[in-house]
Each structure stands twice: as C-alpha cells, then as structure tokens.
Amino acid sequence: MKHFYLITLLGCWLMSCKKDAVEVFGGTSYVYFANHPGDSSDVKPIEYSFAFHPGANKDTIPLLIKLIGRLSNDDRPVEVAVDASNTTALSGDYELPGPNALRARHAWDTIALVLHNSDRLKTGKFKLRLLLHETELFRLGPSGNRHIDITFSDMIARPAWWNQDMEQLFLGAYSDTKYRLFIEATGIADLTGVTGTERRAYAIIFRDFLARGRENGEVYVDENGQINVSPNLL
Amino acid sequence: MKQTTIYSLLFGLFLLSSCYKDKGNYDYAELNKVTILFDGDTKYIRPRVSDTLNIDPQLVYKGDTLRASKLAETFAFTWYCNNEQISSSPVLHYPVRSLTGVRPYLKLKVVNKNDGSTFLEGMTVEPIPAYLTGWVVLTKKDNRSIISFIDPVSFEVNADFYATISEKELGPNAVQVKEIWMANAGLSNAGNILIVRNDAGGNIELDGIKLNPIANSNNFFLGNTLPPDFRPRGEFYMWDYTIMLDDNRNIYVRKHVDNSLTQSGVYPNKPLFIPGGVKFDQGWDGTFLSGQTLLYDKTQGRLFLASDDWGAVLPVTYLPGPPLPPGTTLIHAMDKELVYVGRLQQGRFTSSYYLVFFDGTKYYEQKIMIMDQRFTVNALFMGEVPLGAGTANAQSVFCQLPRIDNYMFYSGGSGNKTLYLHEQGPGMSSEYFTFDSPIKIIAAAQNQLMGVHTHDQLMVALENGHVYILGILPDQMADPSKRLIKKIELNQGVPVSGMYKMGYGYFQM
C-alpha cells in the first residue's frame, strides 16, 4: 500500500513535466527564426562583411523562418521589427523590403534583409537585432529563436587559414589590402579545409591577377610595399 | 667388489662399442642426373598475352643434350602452372592467356621411367599485356570519333574499342591521341592513352593495359568549375606539370601533387597570364616527361616554351651571337606559319627541334636547340633550309623521327599520296612509298631492337581508311621492295590522329 502511494505520487509529479508551450499539430501556428530548414536549435547570429563581396554596394541576406503548425492555403504575413535597444546600425544601413510572409503551403520561408555598404562600415561593426512579433496568425516559437542578431561591416581581418605555411608557400605576407585583392581575384574568401594543390591554384590565379592588372597600369601596394605572392610559389 | 668389477667391464664394453668403425660395403645403383634447360637458359620469359607457348626444353642426360620431344620414351613429363598440372606432353603448347596468376610460375617435372628419378626446373612467365604496345588510330566516320588498336605483331585490329569497352561514345570532336606517362615511381607503369576532345566533354584518359576510360580532365579544375566556354585543344604532360590549351587560346598550368600519377593536382579555372597579350594556337610535346612543351602564338608569330621548371611559360629567344642569315624565319617574329614541330627528344631541359614553316606555297625547316635556363629560354640557331620543294603541298603532314636526327618523313606529290623521306644530313628528299589515297597521318614506332630503342616502323593512314605499316630500318630504306610490311583495311573513316603506343614509362626516357 505504501508503494502504491509512492508510485501515484511520482506519476503526478512527472505529469508536471509536460511541455505545453508549443502545440505542434494543434490549430495554433508558431513561427520562429532558424539556421537551416532541418535545424530547430537556437538561431545563431549572422556575421557579414562586405569585404568578402568586393564591389557590392548592397547585399541581400535571406533570413530563414520556420513554421510549427498546419500549412495554410494562403500567404500569412509575419511581423518583423527592429529591436532598437539592441541595435547599433543606423536606419540607412539596412532595409526590410518585404513582403514578410510565410507563403501558402510552405513550412519554411525567407525574409529578405538588405544591407547597405558605406564608408562607415570600413571602420566599425554594426549590429541589428530583428524580433518576431506575435500576431493573430502566429504565436512565437522557441524562446531562443524569437530574435536574430546580424552584425555587419566592411572590415577584413587575417583569417586563420592565412597561416605561416600559406604565407611562405603561396600568398606571402598578409595585409588587409592584399586579402581584399585576393578575394577580388579568386572570388573566394575562405580557404579553410582547402587542399594544398587548390591553395596553389588560387595563389596562381592571384599572381596572374596582379600581373594582368599591373600590365594595365594598376598599382598594388600595401604596408609591406609591392603586393606579390610568395617567391616560393612554384 | 666382484659385482662392481663386472659392471665396470660391461660399461667399458658398451663404451668401446661406440668406437666400432663401420666398414660396410654398400652397392648404389648409378643415377644419371638430368639437367633441364629452357632456351636462352632463362629463368623468365616475356611472351605476349596473345601468344601460345611452344616450349621444347633441352635435357642434358648422359653427356648428351637432347630436346624433350626426342626423349618421350625415356622420361615422363609433367608441366605445372603455379603447381597446377597443365600438360603431360614433352613439349608445352599452351596459350599464355590461359596461364593463371599475374606472374605465373611454370614448372617442368621430368621422371626417369627406368629408375623413377625425378628432376625439376621452372621459370617465371611475365606476359606482355595485349595493349601494352601497338598502333592507335583515331578516325572519324559518320560524325563519330572512333579509336582503334592495331597489334604490332599480328596486326589484328581491335576497332572502335572505346565504344566497345566503355559502352560510350567519344563524340564527334576527338582531335588527337597520345601516350602519357607517370613520372618517378610511375615510370614502371604502362603509358596511358590521352584522347583530346575539342568539345565541352573534356579529354579522356584510358588505361594503358585495359584501354578502359579512367579519367576525364574536366574533373581536375579548381572547385570542379570549368573555365567559361571551355573546349580543350591540347593537353601536355611533363614531369611535374601539365598544361591545358583551349579553344580560346588560353592555357592552364597544373602542378602534380604526386607526379607518379598522371592525374593529380588541379588546374586553376582562370587562364595563366602571359604578358603582352600572348595567346596560344597550338602546342607540341617536347621531350616526353621532360621540362619542355612548345607553344605557338600565331597572331604574334612567337614561340614559347612551357617549362617543367616552376611551370613557367617563357618566350624563346635566340642566343646572342653573330647575326642570323638574311631571310631566316625569326622565332620571336615569324613571317610564316609554324605548322609542325619535330622533336629530337635529346634531354630534359635542353633539346633540339625542327620547326617547319609554311608561307602558303613553300615550306622551310629551321633547326634550333632550346635551352631552358629557368628564368630565360634560349634557342641556338642551327640553320634554316627550304623543305620539300616541288614535292610538299598545302596538305602535307610531317613526321620527324625523335632521336634519329637524320630522318623526316612527309607527304606530298600528286594528290598528297606519296610519302617522302627527307634526309636531314644531305638535305635531300626521295620518294619512299606511293599510295592510292591521300595521306592523312604519319606516325613512327619506337621499339627495342637488339637492346636498343629505335624507330623501326612507320604507320601511314590514308583518307580511304586504309593503314599501311612500312619498315624504316636500313635494309628497308635501301630496298623499296622490302618497305611494305602490312596493309590494313581499317575502314573506320578518315584518320585524324595516330601514334605508336610504346609501353612502359622508362621506354620513352
């Protein structure tokens, strides 16, 4: 009899663990920011630099939103707002052209965020926090996915892959100017995980880019002097 | 005490008995040892896979040396391949193809029927793969590129083998076949076949033993991204670098990560920059697996050398010296079209070439020696003379024998049906053979004759689809009646390119 009371008590206690904040297949729909369509973990902040997109005055960042609930036959507007207290970007640095909506028969969709480049971004990083707001059509999803931070700039920094080997064998001494030119020449900014032979090929493309430019009268200099690849690039 | 003495005596007796010297008399029957000798007293043989072994060994027996075929009454013979019995005949007739294993061990057991004495001898068989060496002909018929293999001994034809083996089509735009090798440890491998296709499909590499496709060069561009509007025009393999030439006159230089493999490393997907607006129209292999590939900018009339030294592409300039004779075609400012480069394959960074120029009516031949000096490439001018005056025509094709400086063959005459031999020494041409159809390609074989690698045969492929194998050894050159070795009615369309596949990498060094 004593055990019966104990089991009953434990059962009641465990019933209190039931999570009822989000009703998955009920009539209520929830919307939240996500990293990928198949990823429901907390949304990660986005880092963006115009330095990796040479020549771009503006760029569009697609922000992924996901649905918990039933699909609808109609487009459903999603309310997105700027959290001014957590935003350092100016209003001219970005725009949300809309329409911000979850389209009909879609379980996930994207909201377009347009970032504008300016000289200001060359010297500092700016943050924008976007919040989802609850509406008649949508309640908010998991708490870690109700807002997203976007930090953007036009700044560049020495990447980890531009290590000593990269410097000695392929690209030579690092400078921000050289890195920007490298991205312009190759169209690639991240050589993480790239094989040695591929690094060499990118370095050759960069070498030829400098030579071609110089033949056309371009001047490539940085704080180290003339910009060149490593003399060991064979 | 008495017992002790007895025991001591018995012990002493046993001890002394061990000193007994055996003076026994044994009668042994005298056995006659048999020594088995294979022809050439060899421990291994290298027949072709298509051959049938016919081995009649010699037995040294009672002081005589006799063939096994004469001793069938005295001995019983058993042949084994890797310990599996394959024959009980004194003479082994056995197809090489039926031997088991990669390097089958062939063993002969000889048993004397009179006394049962048994003798063994064996040797290793290293079969030469069927497609290791032979003629390869690329033709075009009904808008299909067709590649065929001709056995160099039996002249048996394996026509259209790409379609048969790969069950795919080459497409209509294959323009060249050549043999390519791996360097370093790869030199002991058979050369593979490279098919250059002038279309977006890319070049195809075939295994040199099985002839099956093993690689497509389109898969070796950076990020698996082809340059825009990319169609290969040529691909050139050197020791450490490979060069791709495309229809947009661009080149792409790849460094091998592992030079014992033909395909390793990636081509940048942007063209190599050559200052001065240089673009290339054509390229020629220099010394295979060497540091030299010659590239020709037709627009600027300039000759360049793509070097295995750093993968650099540098202009070829004459060495400073006395003025060149008036009228010389300048390799840095050609006033005639460069139509053919005959390599002499002399060395890795220095080698001589015959450059054949055409001014629209006449041919000229200039001999230069190119020296790759790492930061500069110089040419030693050795002379320029008219070539094939009165015999060569606008359709002429050329074939300079590598290494054997004296001989260049070219087509000409009425309807381009005559093969001429041009002897570089005396500078004279003579008719070598006349055919019933225009000559489209000429290729030379390189074989090992009496331990020396030399050129012994020529393949001439005609517009009517027939292929002729001609002898070019001294006695065949001296006597026209000996020149024709074989006429092959290939009938696979119009020849586009051809070569002799010479086999292992070290053969071509």
Side-chain angles (χ1 to χ4, degrees):
Chain A
M1 198 60 187
K2 189 178 174 186
H3 288 288
F4 176 75
Y5 287 129
L6 197 64
I7 290 167
T8 307
L9 194 66
L10 192 65
C12 292
W13 182 59
L14 286 172
M15 277 177 70
S16 65
C17 296
K18 184 185 171 193
K19 190 176 180 181
D20 60 358
V22 177
E23 189 185 349
V24 180
F25 293 108
T28 312
S29 292
Y30 299 81
V31 69
Y32 63 100
F33 287 117
N35 301 308
H36 301 288
D39 181 3
S40 297
S41 60
D42 287 358
V43 69
K44 292 171 186 155
I46 293 172
E47 284 261 357
Y48 179 92
S49 176
F50 279 101
F52 301 143
H53 305 272
N57 292 321
K58 62 178 184 177
D59 201 0
T60 303
I61 314 282
L63 304 174
L64 185 69
I65 51 168
K66 282 182 72 177
L67 167 74
I68 300 173
R70 296 186 190 282
L71 298 181
S72 167
N73 290 325
D74 302 313
D75 291 356
R76 288 179 283 180
V78 174
E79 196 165 307
V80 183
V82 175
D83 178 359
S85 61
N86 285 297
T87 294
T88 56
L90 301 177
S91 58
D93 291 339
Y94 60 88
E95 60 180 307
L96 287 161
N100 300 328
L102 186 72
R103 286 172 292 167
R105 310 305 303 169
H106 277 66
W108 56 268
D109 215 325
T110 55
I111 290 172
L113 167 67
V114 178
L115 300 176
H116 292 270
N117 196 1
S118 66
D119 288 344
R120 233 164 47 82
L121 302 189
K122 283 194 163 53
T123 54
K125 290 184 176 180
F126 298 91
K127 185 174 142 187
L128 169 68
R129 174 170 287 185
L130 296 176
L131 300 169
L132 288 169
H133 277 188
E134 202 166 296
T135 63
E136 288 181 358
L137 296 172
F138 290 114
R139 294 179 66 184
L140 298 183
S143 57
N145 300 64
R146 292 175 182 177
H147 71 263
I148 186 166
D149 291 335
I150 304 104
T151 305
F152 59 102
S153 72
D154 191 11
M155 294 169 69
I156 202 163
R158 180 174 184 151
W161 57 261
W162 198 316
N163 54 20
Q164 200 175 356
D165 280 353
M166 197 71 199
E167 191 166 311
Q168 288 183 350
L169 297 175
F170 302 113
L171 293 179
Y174 174 84
S175 72
D176 287 355
T177 312
K178 187 188 252 189
Y179 189 20
R180 284 180 192 276
L181 287 170
F182 176 80
I183 295 165
E184 186 182 342
T186 61
I188 190 164
D190 186 8
L191 296 191
T192 307
V194 169
T195 64
T197 184
E198 290 168 321
R199 288 179 182 212
R200 180 188 175 277
Y202 283 121
I204 293 285
I205 290 173
F206 183 44
R207 181 195 69 188
D208 288 358
F209 169 86
L210 296 174
R212 190 179 290 111
R214 285 193 170 114
E215 192 178 60
N216 293 326
E218 297 284 344
V219 178
Y220 301 121
V221 289
D222 61 10
E223 59 270 30
N224 302 313
Q226 293 285 328
I227 294 178
N228 279 311
V229 295
S230 165
N232 299 319
L233 175 63
L234 304 177
Chain B
M1 184 62 191
K2 188 177 179 181
Q3 282 183 330
T4 305
T5 306
I6 290 169
Y7 285 133
S8 299
L9 283 170
L10 279 172
F11 179 74
L13 196 64
F14 285 130
L15 193 68
L16 287 170
S17 70
S18 64
C19 299
Y20 173 74
K21 189 174 181 182
D22 183 9
K23 291 183 179 174
N25 183 14
Y26 301 95
D27 287 331
Y28 292 102
E30 187 182 345
L31 282 177
N32 289 296
K33 189 183 174 190
V34 175
T35 304
I36 304 167
L37 297 175
F38 296 112
D39 284 351
D41 195 19
T42 182
K43 290 292 180 190
Y44 74 95
I45 55 171
R46 301 202 69 218
R48 297 178 64 79
V49 165
S50 53
D51 290 347
T52 297
L53 294 176
N54 184 19
I55 303 174
D56 187 1
Q58 293 180 314
L59 303 187
V60 182
Y61 173 62
K62 287 185 176 176
D64 290 333
T65 303
L66 295 167
R67 290 283 176 192
S69 52
K70 306 286 184 191
L71 293 166
E73 290 182 4
T74 313
F75 296 101
F77 297 86
T78 313
W79 293 87
Y80 300 88
C81 173
N82 292 339
N83 292 326
E84 183 185 331
Q85 184 177 333
I86 56 171
S87 172
S88 56
S89 165
V91 181
L92 180 68
H93 288 282
Y94 203 78
V96 175
R97 204 181 294 278
S98 301
L99 296 172
T100 54
V102 178
R103 295 177 78 235
Y105 188 70
L106 210 57
K107 191 166 65 180
L108 171 62
K109 183 171 81 173
V110 176
V111 179
N112 190 322
K113 291 177 180 174
N114 298 322
D115 54 23
S117 56
T118 302
F119 306 90
L120 290 167
E121 189 55 88
M123 63 179 163
T124 302
V125 182
E126 290 185 354
I128 299 172
Y131 303 124
L132 179 66
T133 60
W135 299 99
V136 180
V137 192
L138 178 68
T139 52
K140 189 169 180 180
K141 185 181 185 181
D142 300 332
N143 214 30
R144 288 181 69 229
S145 295
I146 298 167
I147 185 167
S148 304
F149 183 90
I150 302 171
D151 187 281
V153 178
S154 66
F155 300 108
E156 188 180 330
V157 174
N158 184 353
D160 201 5
F161 69 77
Y162 183 80
T164 311
I165 293 172
S166 72
E167 298 180 341
K168 291 177 185 168
E169 286 289 326
L170 275 175
N173 300 316
V175 291
Q176 191 182 20
V177 285
K178 63 164 93 170
E179 190 172 15
I180 56 173
W181 289 272
M182 300 117 249
N184 274 333
L187 285 172
S188 55
N189 295 334
N192 290 338
I193 296 173
L194 182 76
I195 305 170
V196 179
R197 296 194 301 178
N198 187 221
D199 59 38
N203 301 338
I204 293 172
E205 183 183 358
L206 307 181
D207 182 273
I209 298 294
K210 297 176 180 172
L211 302 185
N212 58 305
I214 55 173
N216 183 317
S217 57
N218 274 3
N219 297 329
F220 296 91
F221 276 88
L222 184 58
N224 263 329
T225 307
L226 287 174
D229 190 30
F230 177 74
R231 294 176 306 280
R233 188 180 286 187
E235 193 174 6
F236 309 93
Y237 284 72
M238 300 192 289
W239 189 271
D240 283 324
Y241 292 86
T242 314
I243 295 173
M244 182 78 78
L245 171 66
D246 79 356
D247 254 5
N248 296 309
R249 304 171 65 217
N250 292 321
I251 58 168
Y252 306 84
V253 179
R254 165 178 67 166
K255 186 177 185 186
H256 289 296
V257 179
D258 179 352
N259 62 10
S260 66
L261 304 171
T262 48
Q263 306 295 341
S264 67
V266 294
Y267 286 110
N269 47 26
K270 295 186 179 177
L272 191 81
F273 172 71
I274 312 287
V278 171
K279 297 275 189 172
F280 297 112
D281 299 87
Q282 205 170 346
W284 290 271
D285 290 295
T287 50
F288 272 129
L289 284 192
S290 72
Q292 302 198 342
T293 295
L294 268 62
L295 294 163
Y296 170 48
D297 181 344
K298 185 176 172 181
T299 308
Q300 299 192 22
R302 297 173 71 187
L303 186 68
F304 281 73
L305 181 123
S307 166
D308 208 37
D309 221 356
W310 293 12
V313 177
L314 299 167
V316 186
T317 54
Y318 290 114
L319 274 176
L324 296 172
T328 297
T329 310
L330 302 173
I331 53 173
H332 54 273
M334 299 174 202
D335 58 353
K336 309 174 189 74
E337 184 182 352
L338 178 63
V339 293
Y340 176 74
V341 173
R343 68 177 192 272
L344 289 182
Q345 211 166 322
Q346 291 167 320
R348 187 168 182 195
F349 293 112
T350 298
S351 191
S352 297
Y353 298 86
Y354 283 102
L355 310 179
V356 177
F357 302 107
F358 187 50
D359 68 0
T361 53
K362 295 190 294 286
Y363 288 94
Y364 300 84
E365 179 193 52
Q366 181 176 139
K367 186 179 182 186
I368 56 172
M369 175 182 276
I370 293 182
M371 286 157 280
D372 177 2
Q373 305 191 86
R374 191 157 179 167
F375 301 107
T376 58
V377 179
N378 292 126
L380 182 68
F381 176 80
M382 301 167 86
E384 180 172 319
V385 292
L387 174 67
T391 53
N393 55 48
Q395 287 74 44
S396 289
V397 290
F398 301 85
C399 178
Q400 166 69 40
L401 297 189
R403 294 186 173 132
I404 306 177
D405 190 334
N406 194 47
Y407 302 115
M408 175 189 275
F409 292 88
Y410 65 91
S411 65
S414 175
N416 200 37
K417 295 176 183 173
T418 303
L419 179 73
Y420 290 90
L421 167 61
H422 179 76
E423 293 183 66
Q424 305 285 11
M428 64 180 198
S429 298
S430 57
E431 189 178 322
Y432 201 75
F433 208 92
T434 297
F435 305 94
D436 57 354
S437 179
I439 296 170
K440 301 302 284 185
I441 55 174
I442 309 168
Q446 177 171 300
N447 277 312
Q448 191 169 37
L449 296 179
M450 294 177 290
V452 178
H453 284 100
T454 188
H455 294 82
D456 59 341
Q457 291 180 0
L458 212 60
M459 177 183 72
V460 181
L462 308 180
E463 192 175 270
N464 65 5
H466 295 171
V467 170
Y468 286 76
I469 308 297
L470 303 178
I472 54 172
L473 291 172
D475 60 325
Q476 293 157 325
M477 283 189 178
D479 184 353
S481 68
K482 293 181 177 175
R483 290 175 184 169
L484 177 61
I485 294 174
K486 187 74 178 177
K487 177 187 176 184
I488 302 155
E489 295 188 2
L490 187 63
N491 294 329
Q492 294 296 321
V494 178
V496 176
S497 175
M499 65 156 185
Y500 185 79
K501 187 173 177 305
M502 65 181 82
Y504 295 115
Y506 46 75
F507 282 0
Q508 56 77 49
M509 295 297 287

